[in-house]
Amino acid sequence: MPLTDHGIPSVSWEEFLRRFRWEQGEHVSFIGPTGSGKTTLAKQLLHRRDYVCALATKARDKTMDGLIRQGGYKRIRAWDERPPMVRRSQRIVLWPRFRRPEDVANQQYQLDRAMREMFVSGGWCLFADELYYLCHTLKLTKLLETYWTQGRSMGLSLVGGTQRPAHVPLFAYDQATHLFFWRDNDETNLRRVAGLGGMSAKEIRAAVTTLPKWHALYVNTRDGELMIVKAPRG
Ligand SMILES: Nc1ncnc2c1ncn2[C@@H]1O[C@H](COP(=O)(O)OP(=O)(O)OP(=O)(O)O)[C@@H](O)[C@H]1O
Ligand SMILES: [Mg+2]
């Protein structure tokens, strides 16, 4: 297996998938600047879970369109429109109506409600691709924090992405078992990344600042495993 200058193995996507053990209830976080490849990689992990709900927050969103067209996801606008839980798996894009700016209130109401219901049922994997928007615009920070801190025991996995690591709760880092970082030279971001317990700050910092395009540093916070990987284009 080729090692990088920092001694971190660089693995193929296939090899990564073989080594990537993601139990239900473990959270995954994606951190990197815009366009770095977060959504592309995240989407390719979701098939590992049986009950997935993607939270769509934009008026138009190619990722969500793709999940609906090719990924077998069903679009619903409100939690009570979901199909009955009779199958062994369920893939949903929860996409509240968003046509006018004032529809933010509707988004907030629908996502808040759905997240509370999913919490009670347990077993869901939530795909929250835009943590910053959910936290700051929709004011769902407290609810997301409950997922991060209490979700594990309910078998709830939060798969969250952000471009602004300094502006999302620390829980996105320290409550996630699986972390992916893309190249970033922002000092505040680096300090957060390098401050993660149990890992060599120097090693992580050196790796994150020199990652090639589309490549992510994977960190398993439970066992300290590090890998560098590039997802297929998708
Ligand atoms: N592994 C990859 N190999 C080749 N191209 C890629 C790869 N990952 C992403 N891309 C390209 O980069 C574009 C942006 O990727 P993506 O939408 O995943 O980034 P992002 O980090 O989610 O961005 P944003 O923060 O703006 O949501 C994609 O449309 C794709 O063309
Ligand atoms: Mg994205």
Side-chain angles (χ1 to χ4, degrees), residues 35-114:
S36 53
K38 299 181 293 297
T39 305
T40 302
L41 197 155
K43 269 193 324 191
Q44 297 180 57
L45 300 180
L46 295 177
H47 63 267
R48 293 259 177 124
R49 302 267 68 92
D50 292 324
Y51 292 89
V52 182
C53 179
L55 307 179
T57 51
K58 296 180 203 151
R60 296 213 170 88
D61 190 326
K62 287 204 180 99
T63 304
M64 299 298 162
D65 284 337
L67 291 176
I68 295 163
R69 291 214 190 97
Q70 293 128 33
Y73 283 65
K74 181 176 165 39
R75 176 183 178 159
I76 58 170
R77 287 170 195 274
W79 188 243
D80 46 21
E81 289 175 15
R82 75 195 184 282
M85 297 272 278
V86 286
R87 287 178 291 145
R88 261 184 305 172
S89 79
Q90 201 165 68
R91 292 174 190 280
I92 289 171
V93 171
L94 174 59
W95 203 340
R97 190 199 57 218
F98 191 116
R99 283 180 17 235
R100 302 164 162 275
E102 59 268 32
D103 287 339
V104 167
N106 177 54
Q107 271 189 326
Q108 185 176 35
Y109 172 74
Q110 296 298 351
L111 297 183
D112 179 278
R113 221 175 111 225

Side-chain angles (χ1 to χ4, degrees), residues 33-40 130 163 214 230-233:
T34 181
S36 53
K38 299 181 293 297
T39 305
T40 302
E130 304 284 348
Q163 307 161 356
W214 313 132
K230 174 176 146 344
R233 189 162 178 179

